[in-house]
Amino acid sequence: MSPPSPCNYDFGYKTSGLDAYFNFNSRVVIDKILWTFGDGTSSRIWTQSIHTDSQGSIRLLLEIVVKGEYCKIEKS
């Protein structure tokens, strides 16, 4: 069995004060998408915004499936 393919996708983000805005902007057709935020909440919406915690940082995990292949991207 061959090793998993590297994840060739990424997501963008920008901040404004304590608000952070995240989005997955790609032309590929995604089978599944899941954003998991450091505060225990999650979303299946393509474009998502979230408020940062009181310390001004957030940990975000994006999991997607494209053409049956799983991809996991994590940023702080």
Side-chain angles (χ1 to χ4, degrees):
M1 180 175 4
S2 61
S5 301
C7 187
N8 293 319
Y9 305 101
D10 203 355
F11 64 87
Y13 67 93
K14 66 179 180 174
T15 58
S16 176
L18 291 179
D19 292 336
Y21 302 91
F22 303 94
N23 70 326
F24 180 77
N25 190 9
S26 178
R27 293 185 176 160
V28 299
V29 176
I30 295 178
D31 302 324
K32 295 181 183 179
I33 187 167
L34 177 64
W35 300 94
T36 304
F37 306 108
D39 63 1
T41 61
S42 63
S43 175
R44 295 189 183 278
I45 300 171
W46 282 70
T47 301
Q48 182 67 45
S49 65
I50 187 172
H51 291 77
T52 59
D53 65 18
S54 61
Q55 297 170 356
S57 64
I58 189 83
R59 183 174 168 204
L60 180 67
L61 173 65
L62 173 61
E63 296 174 274
I64 58 174
V65 176
V66 178
K67 296 182 183 177
E69 292 191 21
Y70 173 78
C71 178
K72 177 179 173 181
I73 308 162
E74 188 172 349
K75 294 186 181 184
S76 294

